[in-house]
Amino acid sequence: MDSRTKLLDAAKRLVWERGVEATSPNMLLACSGVGQGSLYHHFGSKAAWAEAAITSLAADLTVETDELFSAHAPGAEQLRAYLSKPRAALDGCRLGRLAFDPEIRANDALRAPISTYFEHLRALLRPAVRATGAVEDGELDVDDVVEAICAVVQGGYVTSRLSDDAGALDRACRGLLALLGIDH
Amino acid sequence: MDSRTKLLDAAKRLVWERGVEATSPNMLLACSGVGQGSLYHHFGSKAAWAEAAITSLAADLTVETDELFSAHAPGAEQLRAYLSKPRAALDGCRLGRLAFDPEIRANDALRAPISTYFEHLRALLRPAVRATGAVEDGELDVDDVVEAICAVVQGGYVTSRLSDDAGALDRACRGLLALLGIDH
DNA sequence: GTCTATAAGCTGATAGAC
DNA sequence: GTCTATCAGCTTATAGAC
């Protein structure tokens, strides 16, 4: 495995665990086992490896999400799969956990891949919600329900972590499934 | 206003804006206008003023939440009030935004007041959900729905911030209100 | 490509005068 | 209580040899 790959893998691990602001170049060197010269040869600055890490994390998550949606029939089955997927609640979402990182706020290049991922997720959820038929009678707004689904997952990570209780995310997802009326 | 109050106010502002890890003693001095000697006279360490700030933020939020719930009839009206309350979506929740701060994870004294606030919120939501009557027929689990409500708000902050769109939190709350069947 | 050396500035304090 | 001085260690690089 070449140095660049080692650096990128370590950066992805550290950004997931600690965020961007709280990860230093020295941590990256220690975690990757690579020397300082190599780091600044492959990446010109902290922002450069942070952006590469976030872009790669977003690409991974996009692939996983696409696989999940294409493995199920469009509609309620996809929503059930998305909301029942096993998640490491206490680790946090690889992308969502960065929402309040000061370096993400200060640098739009770091936020852009995350924003794009969530837009893609909404685009997958929209037809699934529509297909449940619950919105046809005009009682439900599709975009509102889509946003509630995204929020329940992201918020479940937050309340799980703050309560040190992995079950909180599961309960939140089950609650939303029941409210959607698709919890079998 | 005495130095201690100036320090606490500035610490609360900075912890809300930047979190604990990303706030330095120097920022606190600059933001409060107080000298270094005073800081270390009133607070022995960074952890000390961070804990004081978080405890005070949690106390503020508890008062506001209690006022909101006691201003409305128990049941659907309280849930409507809680989910319709105007929120500064892009600023983040004063407590929830700390979920993935490395210093919060490393120090249970910092997480405890936040955890207590959320437990209190769940205790307020539980009878309100029960009173809607939707759970009586055994279709809905109270704790699951309570957790979904907490999560939608916290997750709405997250998706709003990541999409740089204050409307995301509003949509998520509206979506959940509609699913709860209490959106008038 | 990778290495070691160097550095200006910041972090999180401590010391001691006033 | 508040002030200035000092400090060891870390952060985010840059320089130049190999």
Side-chain angles (χ1 to χ4, degrees):
Chain A
M1 195 195 262
D2 64 352
S3 289
R4 211 200 120 94
T5 307
K6 282 186 199 162
L7 285 164
L8 185 56
D9 283 358
K12 287 169 71 175
R13 226 172 319 139
L14 286 164
V15 166
W16 186 0
E17 275 175 28
R18 304 183 46 84
V20 177
E21 169 94 28
T23 298
S24 73
N26 271 356
M27 290 176 196
L28 182 53
L29 296 180
C31 191
S32 65
V34 157
Q36 200 155 5
S38 299
L39 169 57
Y40 283 95
H41 172 74
H42 291 293
F43 299 100
S45 67
K46 180 177 177 180
W49 52 259
E51 184 178 341
I54 291 172
T55 301
S56 182
L57 286 167
D60 294 349
L61 203 49
T62 301
V63 167
E64 293 168 28
T65 304
D66 285 344
E67 282 174 1
L68 184 141
F69 273 80
S70 52
H72 294 88
E77 212 173 309
Q78 287 178 331
L79 299 183
R80 220 158 21 232
Y82 182 70
L83 287 169
S84 308
K85 177 187 171 189
R87 292 182 166 92
L90 297 178
D91 292 339
C93 170
R94 280 161 276 183
L95 298 180
R97 63 98 63 235
L98 299 171
F100 298 101
D101 189 307
E103 297 212 23
I104 302 284
R105 174 161 24 173
N107 184 346
D108 266 355
L110 301 183
R111 191 177 56 79
I114 311 179
S115 173
T116 300
Y117 167 76
F118 278 100
E119 209 40 68
H120 182 67
L121 175 60
R122 291 184 185 103
L124 289 170
L125 288 170
R126 220 168 278 131
V129 168
R130 228 177 255 122
T132 62
V135 296
E136 282 183 1
D137 45 11
E139 280 178 11
L140 291 178
D141 179 276
V142 176
D143 288 330
D144 290 356
V145 174
V146 163
E147 203 60 41
I149 295 171
C150 295
V152 155
V153 172
Q154 293 303 315
Y157 279 117
V158 168
T159 62
S160 279
R161 176 78 153 237
L162 290 173
S163 302
D164 195 22
D165 169 18
L169 172 56
D170 297 328
R171 285 197 296 281
C173 288
R174 276 205 310 270
L176 191 63
L177 278 170
L179 290 171
L180 284 162
I182 55 174
D183 59 330
H184 274 332
Chain B
M1 197 194 261
D2 66 350
S3 290
R4 212 199 120 94
T5 307
K6 281 185 199 165
L7 285 164
L8 185 56
D9 283 358
K12 289 169 70 174
R13 227 173 318 144
L14 286 165
V15 166
W16 186 0
E17 274 175 28
R18 304 184 46 85
V20 177
E21 168 95 26
T23 298
S24 72
N26 271 354
M27 288 176 198
L28 182 53
L29 296 181
C31 190
S32 64
V34 156
Q36 200 154 4
S38 299
L39 170 57
Y40 283 95
H41 173 74
H42 292 292
F43 299 99
S45 67
K46 180 178 177 180
W49 52 259
E51 185 178 340
I54 291 171
T55 301
S56 183
L57 286 167
D60 294 349
L61 203 50
T62 301
V63 167
E64 293 168 27
T65 304
D66 285 344
E67 282 175 359
L68 184 141
F69 275 79
S70 52
H72 295 87
E77 211 173 310
Q78 287 178 329
L79 300 182
R80 222 160 15 232
Y82 182 70
L83 287 169
S84 309
K85 177 187 169 189
R87 290 180 167 93
L90 297 179
D91 292 339
C93 170
R94 279 160 277 182
L95 298 180
R97 65 100 59 231
L98 299 171
F100 297 100
D101 189 306
E103 298 212 22
I104 301 284
R105 172 159 29 171
N107 184 346
D108 266 355
L110 300 183
R111 192 176 55 78
I114 310 180
S115 174
T116 300
Y117 166 75
F118 278 100
E119 211 39 70
H120 181 68
L121 174 61
R122 291 183 185 103
L124 289 170
L125 287 170
R126 221 169 278 132
V129 168
R130 228 178 256 122
T132 63
V135 296
E136 283 182 2
D137 45 11
E139 282 178 9
L140 291 178
D141 179 275
V142 176
D143 288 330
D144 291 356
V145 174
V146 163
E147 203 61 40
I149 295 171
C150 295
V152 156
V153 171
Q154 292 303 315
Y157 279 117
V158 169
T159 62
S160 279
R161 177 77 154 237
L162 290 173
S163 302
D164 194 21
D165 170 18
L169 172 56
D170 297 329
R171 285 196 297 280
C173 288
R174 275 205 310 271
L176 190 64
L177 278 171
L179 290 171
L180 284 163
I182 55 173
D183 57 330
H184 275 332

